[in-house]
Amino acid sequence: MKKLLFVCSLALLSMQTISAQTGESWIPKHFGVGVGVGTTGVAVDLSTTINRWFGVRVGADIFPEIKINTDLDLGTKDLNSDFRDITRRAEQVNAAAGYNVIDLSGLPNGIPESMDVEGKWSNTTFHFLLDIYPFKNSSWHATTGFYVGGSKLVSVYNKEAGFLKAVTDWNEAVLHPENLPVAARQYVAGQSIIGAELGDYFITPNPADEGDVEANIKVSSFRPYLGIGWGRAVPRKNRIGCQFDMGVQFWNSPKVYAPTYDEHTHTYQQSQLTDDHAGGDGGDVIKIISKISVYPTINFRIVGRFL
């Protein structure tokens, strides 16, 4: 936070002196600090008045992480009819190899049909805002500028670390039998890998993630802002004042990513899921998410003038 305030101070103090057509100097004369709350979290910023027409705010919006726990249907119900055969073949592979190539001990009750997951919303941002006061003796203002934050807005991941490691072990044995001892390869020949089909996508854990999976909703890191409000970031007469703003951040269409396996290229990747390829209920959900291209922004701030 100290570094942030230092950078904000430099940004405000480094403005060059120019002349406006009104004849007023554009040298910042008054400075203030503000603390507020709203849909962006807790806002902390430094502000200045360039002249009676313009004001500038630079700061951060600290959004507390919101976590929700639930269970996720993996779409693997039909696979359990084959689980006895998978278990038998895994035991044969292990016996032929002389060690546990495929460890199914993590799946004592069969292939899981659901998984305990945790969803996390993260939306801490930095902002640069320009307040425009069109009326000489009024605190009503229009605001433009931008917010900058991480692109990963929502993350959904397995709550129990390594929950799908057994699935990864089986899939790797099936996909790469050449890595097995020669005597063990026959037991995985012609077998299918384990995963959940979502339209044209095959959702399955990447072996590099050691049995963990994570899906994300991503938006643009750079988010232009337009809004209106009342109040001045630096009080004109009193030391303490207040400011109210409402507007929208434009963060483009959210995109959904999930770990998939491509049987044509034989590669794992974090694929962007689209509604036309996901199909069914999954496609409908993705279609709805992709339409939320703006983020409503409402803030109430207490501001103080210190210079």
Side-chain angles (χ1 to χ4, degrees):
M1 182 57 68
K2 290 182 179 179
K3 291 183 179 179
L4 171 63
L5 293 176
F6 177 71
V7 171
C8 293
S9 299
L10 290 179
L12 296 177
L13 292 171
S14 64
M15 295 181 176
Q16 302 295 322
T17 303
I18 62 175
S19 296
Q21 292 182 353
T22 59
E24 298 182 56
S25 173
W26 282 59
I27 301 176
K29 296 180 178 179
H30 301 289
F31 295 87
V33 61
V35 178
V37 294
T39 57
T40 58
V42 177
V44 180
D45 56 24
L46 294 176
S47 55
T48 186
T49 54
I50 300 175
N51 56 29
R52 66 184 177 88
W53 302 104
F54 299 99
V56 174
R57 288 179 270 159
V58 181
D61 300 85
I62 304 166
F63 200 98
E65 287 187 347
I66 298 176
K67 296 182 178 181
I68 299 176
N69 296 314
T70 185
D71 63 321
L72 178 68
D73 183 2
L74 298 179
T76 57
K77 184 176 182 180
D78 294 339
L79 287 175
N80 276 318
S81 60
D82 300 323
F83 185 70
R84 182 174 298 178
D85 181 57
I86 291 174
T87 302
R88 178 177 59 81
R89 290 178 179 274
E91 290 174 348
Q92 291 171 325
V93 168
N94 292 338
Y99 60 94
N100 277 355
V101 176
I102 305 171
D103 183 6
L104 296 183
S105 62
L107 305 177
N109 300 315
I111 301 172
E113 297 176 11
S114 65
M115 176 174 63
D116 289 334
V117 299
E118 186 170 76
K120 179 175 67 176
W121 168 287
S122 303
N123 195 29
T124 291
T125 56
F126 298 92
H127 63 256
F128 181 92
L129 303 174
L130 175 67
D131 294 326
I132 305 168
Y133 297 89
F135 308 111
K136 183 176 180 179
N137 297 315
S138 175
S139 293
W140 287 102
H141 60 266
T143 301
T144 186
F146 59 85
Y147 286 76
V148 178
S151 62
K152 190 182 296 185
L153 186 67
V154 177
S155 300
V156 179
Y157 46 87
N158 52 292
K159 193 172 181 181
E160 180 183 339
F163 182 74
L164 296 176
K165 182 64 167 60
V167 171
T168 297
D169 287 348
W170 171 259
N171 289 350
E172 282 297 277
V174 172
L175 293 173
H176 300 287
E178 68 277 8
N179 294 331
L180 299 177
V182 175
R185 297 175 187 177
Q186 59 178 312
Y187 302 114
V188 297
Q191 298 301 300
S192 299
I193 64 174
I194 301 171
E197 292 185 359
L198 182 63
D200 296 336
Y201 302 105
F202 191 76
I203 312 296
T204 195
N206 188 324
D209 296 328
E210 297 295 329
D212 295 327
V213 293
E214 181 177 318
N216 307 115
I217 298 177
K218 295 184 178 182
V219 296
S220 174
S221 296
F222 181 80
R223 309 165 191 175
Y225 172 83
L226 286 176
I228 58 173
W230 180 90
R232 292 182 177 269
V234 181
R236 301 178 69 179
K237 298 180 179 180
N238 302 317
R239 284 288 183 181
I240 303 296
C242 60
Q243 187 176 36
F244 173 79
D245 289 277
M246 61 185 300
V248 292
Q249 298 176 34
F250 298 90
W251 61 16
N252 294 327
S253 297
K255 297 176 175 59
V256 180
Y257 292 84
T260 64
Y261 177 77
D262 189 327
E263 62 178 4
H264 301 293
T265 61
H266 304 292
T267 57
Y268 294 91
Q269 55 271 307
Q270 195 77 1
S271 299
Q272 179 188 337
L273 309 185
T274 59
D275 60 286
D276 53 336
H277 288 284
D281 294 338
D284 292 339
V285 172
I286 294 172
K287 188 173 184 179
I288 293 173
I289 291 174
S290 66
K291 292 181 181 296
I292 308 174
S293 59
V294 299
Y295 181 64
T297 302
I298 300 175
N299 286 300
F300 178 80
R301 304 167 61 248
I302 299 297
V303 296
R305 177 165 53 90
F306 62 85
L307 183 64

